[in-house]
Amino acid sequence: SVLIPRPETEELVEQVILDNADKKIKILDIGTGSGALAISLAKLGKDVRVTAVDISDAALAIARANAERLSADVEFVKSDCFSALKGEKFDMIISNPPYISDEEMKELMPEVLLEPHLALFGGEDGLDFYRRISREAPEHLNDGGWLVFEIGWLQKDAVCALLRENIGEPFAERDYGGNWRAVGAKKE
């Protein structure tokens, strides 16, 4: 019912924690799936309040069970991106959204195809969720807040352009394998 977390996702958590180690922050995780990002941030952050959303009831059930098992304080909300969060603001919004394109879906390894398509498929070019989240995020980010995405290794330029248009000047980080893995921007 959820995407199996990959090691590259751990790197996103590490970066968020390192950059915010001594800050009190309110974080939103969009498309939480198993809850790996939200739970890790709640457990490792010093003064972090985490809200995690997903559109899938099955994913939310798994994420809640994982949080309970790990004693992680995360608020889980059923929401299609920001739809159930009217008026709420965050210091950071993170997401590892579905980003596989039509073309890439045809070439996936058989074991990956066993994972839910809802968690994989990001539209014809793989950028549907990046477009939507980037466009809607400004009204949910506090001044100086950050929007940070995990990306497919070939999506850096396209997602950075969306961030530049909607949020602010982007940054990009490579994973331990040298591939582009995370991009983000501070709300200007």
Side-chain angles (χ1 to χ4, degrees):
S1 299
V2 297
L3 185 71
I4 298 168
R6 304 301 196 272
E8 295 82 8
T9 302
E10 291 177 38
E11 295 174 36
L12 181 59
V13 170
E14 289 172 2
Q15 192 62 46
V16 169
I17 293 300
L18 288 173
D19 290 346
N20 298 284
D22 298 323
K23 300 175 189 167
K24 179 177 181 174
I25 60 172
K26 185 176 174 187
I27 300 175
L28 172 64
D29 174 20
I30 296 177
T32 198
S34 69
L37 282 171
I39 293 166
S40 296
L41 291 168
K43 294 291 288 184
L44 298 172
K46 289 186 179 172
D47 198 359
V48 177
R49 194 167 129 220
V50 182
T51 300
V53 300
D54 206 292
I55 196 168
S56 165
D57 289 320
L60 286 169
I62 289 169
R64 280 186 185 105
N66 286 337
E68 199 171 296
R69 184 173 49 82
L70 296 167
S71 302
D73 185 16
V74 177
E75 176 187 13
F76 292 99
V77 177
K78 182 173 183 178
S79 185
D80 182 3
C81 292
F82 299 101
S83 65
L85 302 172
K86 303 288 187 244
E88 292 216 39
K89 295 229 181 216
F90 301 88
D91 301 303
M92 179 174 289
I93 298 170
I94 60 169
S95 184
N96 180 11
Y99 58 73
I100 305 296
S101 69
D102 279 348
E103 204 55 41
E104 291 170 313
M105 284 294 280
K106 297 174 190 171
E107 299 171 10
L108 289 178
M109 295 178 286
E111 61 270 17
V112 176
L113 289 172
L114 296 174
E115 298 189 50
H117 284 216
L118 182 64
L120 295 170
F121 184 59
E124 185 178 340
D125 63 359
L127 299 172
D128 286 0
F129 289 95
Y130 297 110
R131 284 187 193 95
R132 180 175 176 197
I133 294 168
S134 294
R135 189 177 55 246
E136 296 176 12
E139 71 180 79
H140 295 280
L141 275 173
N142 288 321
D143 290 340
W146 291 87
L147 173 58
V148 181
F149 289 119
E150 183 170 329
I151 60 167
W153 67 286
L154 294 173
Q155 295 174 317
K156 178 185 85 75
D157 292 341
V159 179
C160 281
L162 292 168
L163 289 168
R164 188 175 289 111
E165 177 183 338
N166 295 289
I167 307 295
E169 192 57 35
F171 71 86
E173 297 283 337
R174 293 183 186 270
D175 62 23
Y176 295 133
N179 296 312
W180 293 110
R181 187 56 59 192
V183 298
K186 185 176 185 178
K187 181 181 176 185
E188 295 178 355

